[in-house]
Amino acid sequence: MSVLEARELYRFFHSGEEEVKALRGVDLTVAAGEMIALVGPSGSGKSTLLHCLAGLDEPDGGAVYVMGQPMSRQSEIIKTKFRAKYFGVMRQKDNLISHLSVAENLLMVQVLAPQPNSSHQKNILDRIGIGKRANSLPAQLSGGELARAGLAVAMVCHPKILLLDEPTGEVDSETEADILNLLSDFQIDGGAIVIATHNAAAAKRASRVITMKDGKISND
Ligand code: ADP
Ligand code: MG
């Protein structure tokens, strides 16, 4: 069964007279245990697609289904419940609340999206390689540590689906390798991943690579 499905997604943005067609009829089905890499040039619609899949943005046409249930055009409360129950989301930036420490950021997710099998904070931070930074504020972290902390926030409640927007975008090669290994383990355990990436190593690990171009899935 698909854990996540997008049917005929359209998303338009307006700036002045101009209309940007960020998504133009995107269909996507994601199965458990699958890692899908979204690749394509900047502006091709990868982030917009991830935001619509996460229920953080609402498509203008089409719909997103999570575990077979419609999520699009539901109330914010219902979408929030879907996210809390099924998703771990990592955006391109700003994944942490700036005035809370790394550990407090994790606690926040655990309180808002309680799951019976939620990880012990120390375990996940050690596993992600920033156990020593638990009490640091986001501003005190390096780029690589910020990415690790953002991933810890996305993974702490053991989501079924990870939606990641360029998680290895600005990290050192050691962080990149650690992140990709964690994602492989998550996938082996049956989790589904959709990752927007420019990273060849990430795309190589994916079970499917989907190329976006001008708001569509390109079959070239
Ligand atoms: P990618 O992640 O592949 O770089 P995006 O999904 O960010 O692409 O952007 C797709 C298109 O939609 C781009 O032309 C971008 O400028 C536009 N766009 C994205 N978000 C907005 C927004 N909030 N307002 C206006 N235009 C947007
Ligand atoms: Mg993007």
Side-chain angles (χ1 to χ4, degrees), residues 1-148:
M1 183 182 108
S2 75
V3 291
L4 183 62
E5 193 178 344
R7 286 190 210 149
E8 278 281 296
L9 286 193
Y10 286 83
R11 183 71 175 110
F12 309 125
F13 293 110
H14 299 271
S15 61
E17 297 278 280
E18 216 186 312
E19 183 180 68
V20 177
K21 296 182 172 70
L23 296 179
R24 299 190 296 154
V26 173
D27 290 301
L28 180 68
T29 303
V30 188
E34 201 176 24
M35 172 163 163
I36 295 181
L38 289 178
V39 302
S42 178
S44 57
K46 304 180 297 295
S47 294
T48 306
L49 175 57
L50 282 175
H51 295 161
C52 287
L53 291 175
L56 295 170
D57 193 8
E58 190 69 47
D60 294 303
V64 173
Y65 298 80
V66 185
M67 313 299 278
Q69 304 162 73
M71 180 175 66
S72 305
R73 280 169 285 286
Q74 304 283 353
S75 68
E76 285 305 322
I77 291 178
I78 289 180
K79 285 192 281 191
T80 303
K81 283 186 177 162
F82 269 112
R83 263 197 307 280
K85 190 164 178 195
Y86 299 115
F87 291 132
V89 181
M90 187 173 167
R91 295 153 66 107
Q92 245 168 305
K93 53 179 184 170
D94 300 331
N95 290 293
L96 302 175
I97 297 169
S98 61
H99 62 277
L100 299 180
S101 70
V102 171
E104 287 165 344
N105 268 278
L106 291 189
L107 183 61
M108 183 95 153
V109 183
Q110 291 176 307
V111 170
L112 291 175
Q115 295 291 340
N117 57 350
S118 191
S119 284
H120 193 283
Q121 286 185 11
K122 183 159 174 9
N123 293 348
I124 188 154
L125 290 176
D126 282 344
R127 185 143 172 259
I128 283 180
I130 48 164
K132 292 202 174 90
R133 304 302 252 148
N135 297 318
S136 301
L137 289 170
Q140 297 168 319
L141 304 181
S142 69
E145 287 170 338
L146 266 181
R148 289 171 192 263

